[in-house]
Amino acid sequence: MSDVKVAPDGLAVASVLDARGLSCPMPLLRTKKEIGKIKSGEILHVQGTDPGSRNDIPGWCERAGHEYLGEKEESGYISFFIKKG
């Protein structure tokens, strides 16, 4: 995926989900569960190591009505940011 959306700096996250070390489909399943715990308009920060999440999470956000704010490459993992719809 060459058109990676980079998340802006300084996002105020409501919750952090550590999905590092999990492989498909667990990061997405945990993300779906965790987003149910926050309020509409709040931001979920998902930390993951599964490269498939780069496609799974943005696609799911579009289908589920959430806003995919982007990702950031971290040391050893990827951070994904989702604004609950």
Side-chain angles (χ1 to χ4, degrees):
M1 193 165 126
S2 58
D3 56 342
V4 173
K5 184 173 182 178
V6 179
D9 291 325
L11 292 173
V13 299
S15 182
V16 178
L17 170 62
D18 185 354
R20 294 176 286 187
L22 300 176
S23 54
C24 191
M26 291 311 295
L28 186 57
L29 294 175
R30 295 259 176 99
T31 298
K32 289 178 180 180
K33 185 175 180 181
E34 194 66 27
I35 205 144
K37 299 177 183 177
I38 65 174
K39 297 175 187 162
S40 182
E42 291 184 327
I43 297 171
L44 174 62
H45 173 190
V46 180
Q47 301 169 335
T49 51
D50 181 17
S53 295
R54 289 190 133 144
N55 292 321
D56 295 344
I57 291 178
W60 169 75
C61 286
E62 194 172 312
R63 291 187 306 274
H66 305 301
E67 183 181 353
Y68 180 66
L69 299 176
E71 67 182 60
K72 287 190 180 197
E73 194 77 44
E74 308 286 357
S75 181
Y77 66 95
I78 307 162
S79 285
F80 302 96
F81 297 90
I82 304 163
K83 185 175 185 179
K84 184 173 181 176

